[in-house]
Amino acid sequence: MCYRVGCAFVVVLGWSQLAPAQGLNNLWQGGYDTWFGAPWGGSDIEFSSGTPIIFTQPSRVVDLGRTSANITDASGNLLFFTNGATVGIQNGDTMPNGGGLAPSDYTDNYPEALQIPQAALIIPDPGDGERYYLFHCTVDDLQTSTTFYLYVTTIDMGLNGGSGEVVQKNEVVLNAAIQPGKLAAVRHGNGRDWWVYAHEVNTDRFWRFLVTPSGIAGPSDQTIGVVRPSDAGRTAFSADGSRFAYYWGVSDLDIFSVDRCTGLFSDDVHIDINDYNGNAGVAFSPSGRFLYVSSVYDVYQVDMEASDIAASILHIAEWDSTYSPGPPLATLFNAAQLAPDGRIYISTGNGTDKLHVINYPDSLGAACGIQQHAITLPTYWFNSLPNHPNYHLGALDGSVCDSLDVGLVEQPENLNLSLYPNPNAGAFAITYAPQPTSGMLEVVALDGRVVHRESVAPWSQLNRVELRDLSPGMYQCTVRFGAQEGVRRFVVE
């Protein structure tokens, strides 16, 4: 992978052998540039193997802050990334014509990286496999913390020897007083196009765009939910695109059902959470059964299948008073993001070297296995969890808008199952094509005994298995998602 050439290997949360990745959202980038030396500098988390692998990036000269987005190719190689002020390329430097994004006094104050939650979003051009649309914004009024312009910048990866070039920059697609950041997207029910959303300040209005092979259509608008002032909250779609959530401490939590054919929201559920009115995070579990809200000092879980969703909210974590590396850098709760390994990671709200983890997000209450400051990073991060839509979401099977033959299906016939290392000592990793439903993993001895069975999270792309008590010999690992099945044999030494 070209992005790792020359990079220093620091921490492995599993095995160093790499298998073919599913790509697109497997790379999480964070940290600062390298001018001041360790513990400053960039460090990335890569999910293309059977468990997250953390690398430093000593050559990166572009910071990453709260505004962070990137995209890889189908093999997991980085294409480009952005911090809201600059577009960066594989070697960590600036893409040609990639500087000068979102001009404003705020951007001038933070030229190294914008600090706005979800202020950048990358959408592939449905009509051109080499082109990408970067939706982005900044703060245009410092006194009211309001955004007046939603921009689109176009990147062509077919230029500059395959390293890409910005071909159109800062095109205004919306001139309205909108929230700084909170940009979100979900694939259209036809499996090809994309819906992109922004929210208008001091109203209950959502603006939406439709990205098609013909370009960007819109905006259209819809009024739903509560009136929201300018805020530091976050938004999230469920992995299957059927739900959308928006949370901030003052305006609290709104949850909507989503029509992927029309792009409209419905069935508004509002939940008051009497909590800290600062930065926040929100993320759905892989199946969409649970929604998690992180709110500075606390984390909550909401059961989307409860008869009374608002009454189902559970308090699952309170900050344990840890600082890292010391005061005043408290390991609080901030941005939350579902990862390709089926876990949810939560940043700390400060430039610490820690991340929190929800290990089993599809489990109720304490069984979700939340661990505070469970991940130690080699450099300081600043809430740089990437703003990734679900690039793997396909057509809405059986819907009125599922009428395109675009080769995107909810359950690919080929799971692309890989198992490594092989041979092993009973600990191995598997990777597979993401699926919209839960799966099952079984390990069977050659005499037919089932020695291990576990569920596999929907939309995950990798899993780790540790069976340290297996006797030496040949075993078979089978992964099933409905009618789809992949089988690999391995040897325990």
Side-chain angles (χ1 to χ4, degrees), residues 231-392:
D231 67 51
R234 286 187 177 251
T235 62
F237 280 97
S238 59
D240 66 359
S242 66
R243 301 274 190 152
F244 177 78
Y246 188 148
Y247 174 71
W248 184 50
V250 173
S251 307
D252 298 306
L253 177 64
D254 270 326
I255 306 169
F256 308 105
S257 297
V258 183
D259 186 331
R260 288 172 53 201
C261 294
T262 65
L264 293 173
F265 298 149
S266 62
D267 304 325
D268 179 19
V269 175
H270 183 77
I271 303 178
D272 290 322
I273 303 176
N274 184 20
D275 206 345
Y276 191 84
N277 300 330
N279 295 307
V282 62
F284 285 91
S285 68
S287 71
R289 164 73 186 273
F290 297 107
L291 174 67
Y292 291 87
V293 172
S294 48
S295 184
V296 184
Y297 292 106
D298 302 276
V299 181
Y300 303 90
Q301 182 192 70
V302 179
D303 188 348
M304 304 303 299
E305 294 183 3
S307 57
D308 187 341
I309 292 175
S312 73
I313 189 167
L314 296 176
H315 181 257
I316 62 169
E318 182 178 2
W319 175 52
D320 64 4
S321 301
T322 297
Y323 295 84
S324 184
L329 299 180
T331 59
L332 301 171
F333 301 106
N334 196 264
Q337 179 84 1
L338 176 64
D341 64 355
R343 297 175 174 89
I344 290 175
Y345 292 79
I346 304 174
S347 67
T348 64
N350 292 303
T352 77
D353 61 350
K354 295 292 190 291
L355 291 174
H356 312 291
V357 180
I358 301 175
N359 288 291
Y360 312 106
D362 271 318
S363 298
L364 177 65
C368 73
I370 186 169
Q371 288 181 279
Q372 297 192 43
H373 42 81
I375 303 298
T376 298
L377 302 164
T379 64
Y380 297 139
W381 268 33
F382 194 72
N383 306 293
S384 302
L385 301 192
N387 191 21
H388 280 158
N390 184 3
Y391 293 112
H392 301 285

Side-chain angles (χ1 to χ4, degrees), residues 16 24 33 67 77 97 105 122 143 155 193 218 237 243 257 259 282 284 287 370 389 425 429:
S16 60
L24 300 184
D33 63 36
T67 303
N77 300 303
N97 199 30
D105 289 341
I122 299 168
Q143 290 186 336
I155 292 96
D193 303 335
F237 280 97
R243 301 274 190 152
S257 297
D259 186 331
V282 62
F284 285 91
S287 71
I370 186 169

Side-chain angles (χ1 to χ4, degrees), residues 17-333:
Q17 293 93 337
L18 299 181
Q22 302 303 329
L24 300 184
N25 63 341
N26 281 347
L27 181 65
W28 289 16
Q29 299 173 284
Y32 301 84
D33 63 36
T34 57
W35 295 114
F36 299 106
W40 306 96
S43 58
D44 299 347
I45 306 176
E46 185 186 72
F47 292 92
S48 62
S49 71
T51 193
I53 297 176
I54 302 176
F55 293 87
T56 58
Q57 294 295 351
S59 63
R60 190 162 69 210
V61 297
V62 178
D63 281 0
L64 284 162
R66 294 183 189 275
T67 303
S68 176
N70 65 50
I71 192 167
T72 70
D73 64 17
S75 296
N77 300 303
L78 177 69
L79 295 176
F80 64 92
F81 67 97
T82 184
N83 59 15
T86 302
V87 179
I89 58 177
Q90 296 94 328
N91 67 4
D93 212 336
T94 303
M95 179 178 285
N97 199 30
L101 298 184
S104 74
D105 289 341
Y106 179 90
T107 304
D108 290 342
N109 290 337
Y110 295 94
E112 70 282 355
L114 300 190
Q115 305 300 337
I116 308 169
Q118 299 175 297
L121 179 69
I122 299 168
I123 301 297
D125 182 342
D128 186 336
E130 299 282 357
R131 291 168 66 92
Y132 297 82
Y133 295 114
L134 170 61
F135 288 80
H136 59 104
C137 62
T138 185
V139 173
D140 295 300
D141 188 324
L142 294 175
Q143 290 186 336
T144 62
S145 297
T146 302
T147 295
F148 293 146
Y149 307 105
L150 178 61
Y151 299 103
V152 169
T153 289
T154 305
I155 292 96
D156 191 333
M157 291 303 300
L159 303 178
N160 192 28
S163 293
E165 183 173 330
V166 171
V167 295
Q168 190 169 11
K169 184 164 56 180
N170 296 331
E171 178 187 4
V172 176
V173 293
L174 178 63
N175 186 352
I178 61 173
Q179 292 284 352
K182 274 72 74 181
L183 303 180
V186 67
R187 195 183 287 275
H188 189 284
N190 63 19
R192 180 196 66 192
D193 303 335
W194 288 87
W195 295 107
V196 178
Y197 297 82
H199 190 275
E200 186 170 330
V201 169
N202 297 321
T203 73
D204 56 355
R205 176 174 287 106
F206 286 91
W207 292 99
R208 70 184 183 278
F209 297 83
L210 182 61
V211 181
T212 75
S214 300
I216 300 172
S220 302
D221 69 308
Q222 178 187 11
T223 55
I224 189 171
V226 300
V227 174
R228 292 182 176 272
S230 178
D231 67 51
R234 286 187 177 251
T235 62
F237 280 97
S238 59
D240 66 359
S242 66
R243 301 274 190 152
F244 177 78
Y246 188 148
Y247 174 71
W248 184 50
V250 173
S251 307
D252 298 306
L253 177 64
D254 270 326
I255 306 169
F256 308 105
S257 297
V258 183
D259 186 331
R260 288 172 53 201
C261 294
T262 65
L264 293 173
F265 298 149
S266 62
D267 304 325
D268 179 19
V269 175
H270 183 77
I271 303 178
D272 290 322
I273 303 176
N274 184 20
D275 206 345
Y276 191 84
N277 300 330
N279 295 307
V282 62
F284 285 91
S285 68
S287 71
R289 164 73 186 273
F290 297 107
L291 174 67
Y292 291 87
V293 172
S294 48
S295 184
V296 184
Y297 292 106
D298 302 276
V299 181
Y300 303 90
Q301 182 192 70
V302 179
D303 188 348
M304 304 303 299
E305 294 183 3
S307 57
D308 187 341
I309 292 175
S312 73
I313 189 167
L314 296 176
H315 181 257
I316 62 169
E318 182 178 2
W319 175 52
D320 64 4
S321 301
T322 297
Y323 295 84
S324 184
L329 299 180
T331 59
L332 301 171
F333 301 106

